[in-house]
Amino acid sequence: MPFLFHPGSLATLTGHYRPPNRKENNMTLTRKALNKALRTFAKDEDGATAIEYALMVALVGAVIVVGVTQLGTSTNNKFTGVATTIDNAGEGESGS
């Protein structure tokens, strides 16, 4: 078995040498790191604040979309009315 430290090194003499555990693989280490990161994120209140800001931005965006759609419909109706009035005025002159 290869040593992580030389057998005569300070880590071996002071008892800080830990031989590799064959049962603990990279997936377990990754899972532990992910679990720790999720716990830290859950305790952090900055994440909740970011979500609140995201919801506010989404709400403002929805209001803007609805407002622009209504404005577009109103403007379209107004231009259609003006175009109809101009067409009717033009037909009256050509018929005389």
Side-chain angles (χ1 to χ4, degrees):
M1 169 170 62
F3 287 101
L4 296 176
F5 299 101
H6 188 271
S9 71
L10 183 61
T12 306
L13 296 175
T14 58
H16 291 100
Y17 171 72
R18 183 175 73 99
N21 185 353
R22 301 225 183 258
K23 292 180 182 177
E24 189 174 80
N25 58 18
N26 287 339
M27 186 60 91
T28 304
L29 293 175
T30 304
R31 194 173 352 141
K32 286 181 182 178
L34 183 61
N35 195 4
K36 183 178 179 183
L38 288 174
R39 282 188 197 159
T40 303
F41 181 74
K43 289 179 184 177
D44 190 11
E45 293 188 13
D46 289 339
T49 303
I51 291 172
E52 290 171 358
Y53 282 131
L55 288 173
M56 290 295 288
V57 167
L59 180 62
V60 168
V63 168
I64 289 172
V65 167
V66 168
V68 168
T69 302
Q70 291 297 324
L71 180 65
T73 303
S74 174
T75 304
N76 187 26
N77 291 340
K78 195 62 105 170
F79 277 116
T80 302
V82 170
T84 303
T85 304
I86 291 173
D87 285 342
N88 290 340
E91 289 175 3
E93 290 179 6
S94 63
S96 303

